[in-house]
Amino acid sequence: MSKGEQHKDDPGNGEEISFEEFIDEDNAAGQVDLSAKVKKLKAQLSACQKEKQDNLLGWQRSRADYANLQNDFDKRKQSFVKLGTEAVVVDLLSVIDSFRLAFADPSWSSAPADWRTGIERVCQQLITALEQHGLARIEAEGKPFNPVYHESVGFIPTDSADNDQVVLEVVKDGYLLDDKVIRAAQVKIGMFKQ
């Protein structure tokens, strides 16, 4: 039995065999041509490296696609939440308008004081709750007319040039929700006449 055969059969025998001796034994036995074997192994190694690189790039693309998908999903979720919040807030603005109309009614002052105070507190709680969700009243009176924030429903003649195109009366309050106009303030603006 040759040295290489002993090594293959008994790896724990303590004898070492070099790669060259192993290859020479194979060549001596007429099993494989060394240059053909090396070419084949190089081709296999190259194919494995290409497959590894393709798999790595595919994995990286998949990971990036998943991160983009997750970000897109989060943005859509936030926009749906904002749309839902906006719809509810817009509906509740009519309730606030109703409270304000009741407070402006002449018979309001003849109602019992405790009762008026309670209703006013309920209205303020509603406003405070909406403010905590991003609602803000548009300050309009005394400001220059801005069609982004104001909707003109009439004019008030004025003798002062300083009041020309200035909001002189707010008919209905306007509101912002997270810096987005959800209802423009209905206003009357000054019109200077010489």
Side-chain angles (χ1 to χ4, degrees), residues 39-55:
K39 283 181 184 178
K40 183 178 177 183
L41 289 173
K42 282 183 178 181
Q44 288 176 341
L45 177 61
S46 176
C48 286
Q49 287 175 333
K50 183 181 180 325
E51 183 180 355
K52 180 196 94 159
Q53 187 64 27
D54 289 346
N55 290 340

Side-chain angles (χ1 to χ4, degrees), residues 27-188:
N27 282 339
Q31 293 177 349
V32 179
D33 178 26
L34 178 61
S35 64
K37 193 172 189 177
V38 169
K39 283 181 184 178
K40 183 178 177 183
L41 289 173
K42 282 183 178 181
Q44 288 176 341
L45 177 61
S46 176
C48 286
Q49 287 175 333
K50 183 181 180 325
E51 183 180 355
K52 180 196 94 159
Q53 187 64 27
D54 289 346
N55 290 340
L56 178 63
L57 291 173
W59 174 78
Q60 288 172 336
R61 272 192 303 273
S62 295
R63 205 168 160 199
D65 288 345
Y66 179 76
N68 291 338
L69 180 67
Q70 189 68 37
N71 288 339
D72 187 47
F73 176 77
D74 290 343
K75 286 178 185 175
R76 287 179 185 223
K77 182 180 169 184
Q78 289 173 355
S79 73
F80 286 135
V81 168
K82 282 184 179 182
L83 283 174
T85 301
E86 183 177 327
V88 170
V89 168
V90 168
D91 288 344
L92 291 175
L93 289 179
S94 62
V95 176
I96 293 172
D97 292 338
S98 296
F99 275 119
R100 296 232 164 104
L101 285 172
F103 299 157
D105 190 273
S107 63
W108 179 253
S109 59
S110 63
D114 291 344
W115 189 80
R116 283 194 325 254
T117 302
I119 297 298
E120 288 167 354
R121 285 185 182 162
V122 169
C123 179
Q124 189 54 51
Q125 283 178 329
L126 176 60
I127 293 169
T128 301
L130 293 174
E131 286 173 346
Q132 290 173 349
H133 289 279
L135 183 72
R137 189 172 147 277
I138 295 174
E139 296 295 332
E141 196 163 341
K143 305 280 184 185
F145 177 76
N146 183 339
V148 173
Y149 300 108
H150 310 131
E151 176 186 346
S152 176
V153 294
F155 295 97
I156 298 173
T158 180
D159 295 334
S160 170
D162 292 340
N163 286 335
D164 190 40
Q165 299 297 310
V166 172
V167 175
L168 298 180
E169 182 183 333
V170 176
V171 176
K172 196 175 201 180
D173 285 327
Y175 292 94
L176 301 169
L177 184 64
D178 295 325
D179 298 326
K180 177 186 173 191
V181 176
I182 59 170
R183 185 172 84 183
Q186 294 181 355
V187 298
K188 291 185 180 179

